[in-house]
Amino acid sequence: MNELIVGIDLGTTNSAIGVVDSGFPMLLADKDGKRIIPSAVWYGADGAVEVGHKALRRRHLNGLSVITSVKRYMGRDLSEDDRAMLLQRSPEEISAEILRELKRIAESRMGQEIHKAVITVPAYFHDGQRLATKRAGELAGLEVVRILNEPTAAALAYGLDKLADSSRVAVYDFGGGTFDLSILEMHEGVFQVLATHGDTLLGGDDLDRAIADNIWRIAGIDAQSISRENQLRWLEEAERVKCVMSDREREIFSLPFYDGQSSFSYTLERNELEQWMQPLIARTIRCCRMALNDANAALSSINALVLVGGSSRIPAVRRAVEDCFGRAPDLSQHPDEAIALGATIHAGVLSGAMKKMVLLDVTPLSLGIETLGGLMNVIIPRNTTIPCKAGEMFTNAVTDQRAMLVRVLQGEREMARDNWELGSVEVAFEPAPKGHARIGVQFRLDENGILEVLARDVKTGQDRILEIKHAAVDVSDEAIEKMVGESVEHAFSDMAERVWTEARLKAEELIPAVDAALAIGVDLCNDEELAMIQLAQQQVKDALSSQQANVLKAAVQKLDQATEFLAARIVEKAMNDAITRQLEG
Ligand code: AMP
């Protein structure tokens, strides 16, 4: 079994962990069924620690002992204020608590210990910040096998790694605390970051703040005059209303007894909310323009646009991005799960667990070789699950033949000429009477679609090996459709040609064989029997020129039957002769 490697999105606001199980990447949920864990850590007395939702819930009672957004401090020089805010702990130590919690969730879900992880970081993180992330992993008991750029992870989650070389992807990531836009370019199957532009102090939290500021203005409240705990309640309500209004036109902002006596309620309309958020959204769009400029990328050169981060769920954000890029974004993934999912896919590829998905692949078209008469001899039929192995034995068609050309074909047609030739290999063998040399041909198709053709002269054990890369799976859907369509269209004529060819080959083999039998066994049959054989033989010859498969098949069968007794008598005579010789000897 492969060792599990988990994928982790260690985010500013939220974090998530995933693993590839049975070939499929999936995020793991905690005991409450939640896959997204707030990146919050609470430190209590006597070393008590709580992480995630539990830590956030403590914010109202003892807000100062709950640390959020620790990612902002990773790999940075800290001021005295920062240290106080972090309760004199290092950012790595605090991040390690979040990672430990994620590790626990994964271990309890998977029922085994986890030791290795891929962790994502923003593309703009410098070496010091990456190193700090790695150290946090180690403190949590995880070997960080790869630090992966967040936009790359997002692109993986959207399956964009299948894009052609030089394709470009724009990843717009608007989360809780930060914003960035990255332009990636695909190079030999690997994404390279061409440019990234962002604002580490611009996120959903700032939208909440803008909403709260406006609400305080309407309520006539001076934010400076209320306690931090009280401010938090307004901000939390602002966030709730903001999230709800991504799906609704209006929502009531409601805060009962916010100061112990007074209550506040206000019906917020989508238009008004959007006005409040507009200046911040405009700042993200300016970053997009700068990134495009830095990458020297024309809008028309962008092949895909994906949105990640919880704040990209906001309809006004989606509209603004769409306007800027002049194209609709791909919204097929959860914006707040895409990065963790991409990290998981990358982890799965590294551990080998992702290959299992390829195992479920099937051969899109049949694979075989050309045999005598120009026929397609299928060795691995279409739709066979790969990896797979199959083989067949062939003999020489002509006496003293010295070599056989193995032509490897792909396709669904009965005649070799109508299929595609993938390659060929010549197998030499020792001269032998017709039908006596034996050549084994084996096809082996591995999980990467590489076809290995092995041809062996059974007598000498000599092998010839031909390797055909990607042949089996690298066929475009259109080509497959065309090939299958043609095989259906020509099914009758193809089959007729195959039947005719098989019958012809049989006839051509039988006629000289009957001549040979008569040469040694003419004394073993009476005139009537001899006439019958000669007639049947003539009928086969006539049928050969008739071009009618059924007639030929019937004639061949009749000749076979007519000579059955002769073959038996020849064998019997040979045995008697041998016994007589023995007795005489
Ligand atoms: P992330 O850092 O990607 O986890 O994003 C978290 C941010 O996304 C927070 O500021 C959330 O308030 C915000 N968010 C999550 N869901 C929504 C939503 N439906 N509409 C608007 N903002 C959202």
Side-chain angles (χ1 to χ4, degrees):
M1 201 169 82
N2 295 315
E3 185 177 6
L4 278 186
I5 305 181
V6 290
I8 294 177
D9 170 11
L10 183 61
T12 311
T13 323
N14 295 307
S15 296
I17 188 166
V19 68
V20 172
D21 192 15
S22 309
F24 293 96
M26 57 175 194
L27 300 194
L28 300 169
D30 66 7
K31 286 202 266 321
D32 301 323
K34 297 210 163 75
R35 289 179 297 200
I36 303 286
I37 311 304
S39 304
V41 183
W42 169 79
Y43 288 98
D46 308 328
V49 179
E50 265 168 2
V51 177
H53 296 282
K54 278 197 214 142
L56 268 196
R57 280 198 286 272
R58 300 223 174 229
R59 206 155 58 162
H60 296 286
L61 299 170
N62 37 17
L64 293 180
S65 53
V66 178
I67 301 171
T68 54
S69 300
V70 64
K71 189 172 176 177
R72 292 186 191 283
Y73 302 96
M74 293 289 273
R76 295 233 170 119
D77 290 335
L78 302 179
S79 68
E80 262 321 300
D81 278 358
D82 293 340
R83 278 182 214 290
M85 183 98 118
L86 299 179
L87 309 174
Q88 304 302 329
R89 287 174 171 84
S90 75
E92 288 97 314
E93 249 179 278
I94 301 164
S95 296
E97 292 296 352
I98 302 169
L99 292 171
R100 263 187 216 114
E101 175 71 10
L102 295 171
K103 183 171 179 271
R104 268 195 294 273
I105 291 172
E107 288 178 340
S108 97
R109 286 286 147 207
M110 302 308 294
Q112 70 182 88
E113 284 186 22
I114 309 272
H115 302 289
K116 292 184 175 177
V118 168
I119 303 182
T120 57
V121 296
Y124 57 75
F125 255 28
H126 57 62
D127 281 352
Q129 292 170 300
R130 286 165 196 259
L131 211 62
T133 306
K134 209 165 168 201
R135 267 203 304 272
E138 283 157 10
L139 286 173
L142 289 169
E143 181 194 336
V144 182
V145 291
R146 194 68 55 93
I147 291 281
L148 186 68
N149 284 326
E150 286 165 9
T152 303
L156 283 177
Y158 277 90
L160 298 176
D161 50 320
K162 305 199 176 57
L163 285 176
D165 234 28
S166 318
S167 295
R168 286 176 176 180
V169 180
V171 181
Y172 176 100
D173 182 355
F174 197 10
T178 60
F179 165 75
D180 51 274
L181 183 106
S182 307
I183 311 269
L184 311 178
E185 191 171 76
M186 176 61 99
H187 267 292
E188 290 169 5
V190 179
F191 281 113
Q192 285 178 359
V193 181
L194 285 188
T196 177
H197 239 283
D199 192 330
T200 50
L201 297 175
L202 175 57
D205 296 348
D206 301 283
L207 297 174
D208 303 343
R209 180 80 202 191
I211 298 165
D213 279 342
N214 279 286
I215 291 282
W216 282 325
R217 179 178 47 77
I218 291 167
I221 289 173
D222 175 9
Q224 308 300 326
S225 68
I226 56 177
S227 69
R228 192 178 152 201
E229 268 80 28
N230 203 342
Q231 276 190 22
L232 269 179
R233 288 189 60 201
W234 290 84
L235 286 168
E236 275 176 10
E237 177 63 0
E239 182 181 15
R240 187 195 68 79
V241 169
K242 173 191 74 176
C243 294
V244 166
M245 288 183 69
S246 287
D247 299 310
R248 273 191 230 156
E249 284 299 316
R250 65 183 61 79
E251 175 68 6
I252 300 172
F253 187 110
S254 157
L255 219 55
F257 309 115
Y258 59 88
D259 60 355
Q261 328 167 6
S262 344
S263 298
F264 176 81
S265 149
Y266 180 78
T267 303
L268 187 58
E269 298 284 336
R270 176 72 77 75
N271 272 347
E272 194 169 22
L273 173 74
E274 291 187 349
Q275 268 172 30
W276 296 348
M277 299 191 297
Q278 196 46 47
L280 298 170
I281 297 175
R283 271 169 64 191
T284 71
I285 299 301
R286 275 200 292 280
C287 287
C288 294
R289 299 231 165 84
M290 284 192 274
L292 283 164
N293 199 39
D294 282 2
N296 214 353
L299 278 177
S300 57
S301 73
I302 305 289
N303 306 90
L305 167 64
V306 301
L307 306 189
V308 287
S311 302
S312 70
R313 289 184 187 271
I314 298 169
V317 168
R318 291 186 176 176
R319 281 202 311 275
V321 182
E322 193 169 335
D323 281 354
C324 171
F325 283 88
R327 67 186 302 143
D330 184 337
L331 300 173
S332 56
Q333 297 295 324
H334 280 296
D336 27 23
E337 292 183 358
I339 290 174
L341 193 67
T344 301
I345 292 170
H346 194 80
V349 170
L350 290 179
S351 72
M354 208 58 194
K355 269 202 194 142
K356 292 213 180 87
M357 267 178 79
V358 183
L359 292 193
L360 300 174
D361 257 357
V362 295
T363 49
L365 291 170
S366 302
L367 293 163
I369 68 171
E370 173 174 356
T371 53
L372 203 60
L375 292 172
M376 164 77 163
N377 187 309
V378 173
I379 293 186
I380 297 179
R382 167 178 154 76
N383 281 338
T384 303
T385 305
I386 54 179
C388 54
K389 203 161 85 172
E392 229 172 279
M393 201 63 87
F394 297 90
T395 66
N396 56 336
V398 191
T399 297
D400 287 348
Q401 185 180 344
R402 288 172 171 274
M404 179 171 124
L405 184 69
V406 177
R407 282 182 69 212
V408 180
L409 305 171
Q410 181 172 39
E412 303 311 307
R413 304 288 298 275
E414 299 292 342
M415 304 308 292
R417 60 161 194 268
D418 296 321
N419 293 310
W420 303 322
E421 180 173 337
L422 299 180
S424 63
V425 60
E426 199 174 63
V427 204
F429 45 82
E430 289 191 351
K434 173 177 155 41
H436 281 237
R438 283 155 63 79
I439 306 297
V441 175
Q442 188 185 68
F443 278 23
R444 205 164 65 197
L445 194 54
D446 74 7
E447 51 274 302
N448 300 313
I450 295 172
L451 173 65
E452 187 192 84
V453 179
L454 180 144
R456 172 176 299 169
D457 175 354
V458 175
K459 192 155 170 229
T460 63
Q462 285 249 330
D463 284 341
R464 283 300 306 273
I465 293 175
L466 173 70
E467 201 183 81
I468 298 166
K469 286 210 170 68
H470 303 301
V473 287
D474 252 17
V475 191
S476 74
D477 288 350
E478 298 91 71
I480 294 168
E481 238 169 70
K482 186 159 176 275
M483 172 58 81
V484 174
E486 280 172 0
S487 77
V488 173
E489 193 184 323
H490 299 283
F492 283 112
S493 54
D494 272 13
M495 194 38 83
E497 192 167 355
R498 171 177 281 276
V499 172
W500 166 257
T501 307
E502 282 172 354
R504 176 173 63 79
L505 291 171
K506 184 89 197 284
E508 286 171 356
E509 198 182 300
L510 201 53
I511 293 167
V514 170
D515 282 340
L518 284 177
I520 41 174
V522 72
D523 302 336
L524 300 173
C525 40
N526 58 36
D527 290 351
E528 198 183 329
E529 287 165 340
L530 185 63
M532 200 175 69
I533 291 174
Q534 283 169 337
L535 175 67
Q537 200 181 21
Q538 189 53 48
Q539 278 172 342
V540 170
K541 286 178 185 166
D542 293 344
L544 261 176
S545 51
S546 82
Q547 292 285 329
Q548 281 178 289
N550 290 343
V551 177
L552 181 59
K553 235 176 123 177
V556 165
Q557 210 173 1
K558 212 167 133 199
L559 178 58
D560 236 351
Q561 284 164 358
T563 52
E564 239 169 46
F565 78 92
L566 178 59
R569 281 181 204 168
I570 289 173
V571 172
E572 199 181 333
K573 179 169 182 286
M575 279 169 67
N576 287 337
D577 287 353
I579 292 168
T580 312
R581 270 200 307 278
Q582 243 175 17
L583 289 177
E584 284 170 358

